Amino acid sequence: VVLEEEYDKEREIRVTTVRIETENGAKTMGKPVGTYLTIEAPNLSSPDEGIHREVSEELAKYLIEVMKKIIPESEHDKEVLVIGLGNRQATPDALGPYVADNLNITRHIVKEYGKYAALEEMNCVVSAIVPGVMAQTGMETLEIVRGVVSETKPDLVIAVDALAARSTTRLNRTIQITDTGITPGSGVGNHRKALDRRTLGVPVIAVGVPLVVYASTIASDALCALGEGEVEEERIAACVERVVSEKLGEMIVTPRDVDALVERMAGVLADGINQALHPSLSSSEIAQLMAQ
């Protein structure tokens, strides 16, 4: 397990990279072999367009790095399918659909007119889908996505979802990226079938932002701030989780301004993904080409 950390003091952006390189490392960490990236910006949740732009640029940079590692160079243009996971009707879970709404989708234009006739400078052919949740469709997300992947044959899938924070300090302040795929609903105990290379047959990059947190996590973080040492913190966390779960059940909490937060986070993620998939063009240039 390799840990790397970069900190831009001027922009207050910290990037932590964890690479799990062996099966022993995977067992120790309880995660599959792969790369796990966390972009942390304390002011990310604020309505500051300057911060959002800087974080989007960082997201694009690291998405490009991850893509280069997992997609071999090919003669044809890379086709990317973006999946907006979540429930549009539940605001804290609407991040994925909102991101899909703000993407520069180009596959239909390229298929209709040809890349060099319409979008010569595009770097990737991009499509997107919002598969909804099982309560809406009666189908596993994997079943829907697997059918789309089988039909459209993308080189890469990017799955975007809202996450549950393991610490209150990460809520609305971090963007997490991994090349190992994602299990929708796992953060809130509603495990669905995983979306990864094994189940879809193509590489899957997962991108998410923690937007909800368990009530027990808030309580344990508050009490741990009064304790000292890891042993004390582990004991407090275990005690609080038991007590809160018994009294309140598995209560999940979200900020009161979650509607505005989701819209802002969706804009940041969409801008970063757009820059990563079309790095030679600005958003305004892409919009002009698509308008033509």
Side-chain angles (χ1 to χ4, degrees):
V1 179
V2 179
L3 173 66
E4 297 174 353
E5 189 172 273
E6 298 177 23
Y7 181 60
D8 187 325
K9 187 175 181 180
E10 183 178 344
R11 299 190 298 174
E12 293 187 275
I13 297 176
R14 186 185 306 276
V15 179
T16 305
T17 305
V18 177
R19 291 198 307 274
I20 301 177
E21 300 179 338
T22 66
E23 291 301 329
N24 284 338
K27 286 182 180 180
T28 302
M29 299 297 290
K31 294 181 178 181
V33 172
T35 301
Y36 300 82
L37 254 155
T38 301
I39 301 173
E40 182 179 356
N43 299 318
L44 181 58
S45 60
S46 66
D48 186 332
E49 293 186 5
I51 293 293
H52 296 170
R53 183 173 58 255
E54 292 172 352
V55 174
S56 293
E57 291 170 355
E58 285 294 304
L59 173 60
K61 182 177 78 173
Y62 287 103
L63 275 176
I64 291 171
E65 286 184 12
V66 174
M67 287 168 60
K68 285 181 178 179
K69 290 179 182 177
I70 64 177
I71 304 180
E73 291 296 327
S74 57
E75 294 181 0
H76 69 87
D77 305 312
K78 294 181 178 65
E79 295 209 18
V80 179
L81 170 65
V82 182
I83 307 169
L85 297 171
N87 183 353
R88 195 186 292 273
Q89 306 305 319
T91 303
D93 195 31
L95 180 67
Y98 282 16
V99 170
D101 291 344
N102 289 281
L103 293 176
N104 295 318
I105 305 301
T106 59
R107 184 176 184 271
H108 59 302
I109 299 176
V110 175
K111 295 295 181 184
E112 181 72 22
Y113 302 108
K115 177 179 178 180
Y116 297 101
L119 300 166
E120 184 174 351
E121 296 173 275
M122 290 297 182
N123 299 84
C124 294
V125 179
V126 183
S127 56
I129 182 174
V130 178
V133 294
M134 182 177 279
Q136 296 170 320
T137 65
M139 294 177 281
E140 281 276 2
T141 300
L142 174 62
E143 294 173 330
I144 298 172
V145 175
R146 185 186 281 157
V148 174
V149 168
S150 175
E151 184 67 26
T152 62
K153 297 178 173 55
D155 299 298
L156 170 71
V157 168
I158 298 178
V160 182
D161 200 5
L163 308 176
R166 292 185 177 181
S167 167
T168 52
T169 59
R170 289 180 169 241
L171 193 64
N172 310 317
R173 295 181 178 91
T174 61
I175 298 173
Q176 298 176 22
I177 310 165
T178 178
D179 59 5
T180 61
I182 190 171
T183 302
S186 59
V188 292
N190 185 25
H191 293 263
R192 308 261 48 102
K193 293 182 179 178
L195 306 176
D196 54 29
R197 187 192 286 265
R198 181 181 60 82
T199 58
L200 294 178
V202 295
V204 178
I205 296 175
V207 181
V209 176
L211 290 171
V212 298
V213 64
Y214 280 95
S216 58
T217 300
I218 297 174
S220 63
D221 281 358
L223 290 175
C224 285
L226 303 175
E228 296 181 0
E230 290 186 14
V231 175
E232 182 73 10
E233 289 184 5
E234 290 177 6
R235 188 179 67 80
I236 291 173
C239 179
V240 168
E241 185 172 356
R242 185 180 71 254
V243 172
V244 173
S245 296
E246 288 176 358
K247 298 291 185 182
L248 302 176
E250 292 187 342
M251 180 177 285
I252 297 172
V253 184
T254 190
R256 64 179 180 179
D257 59 341
V258 67
D259 51 346
L261 282 171
V262 169
E263 288 188 12
R264 286 200 290 269
M265 294 301 120
V268 171
L269 295 191
D271 284 347
I273 293 172
N274 285 333
Q275 291 176 48
L277 300 182
H278 309 301
S280 63
L281 293 176
S282 67
S283 297
S284 60
E285 289 173 325
I286 293 172
Q288 289 175 3
L289 284 170
M290 294 181 71
Q292 294 172 5

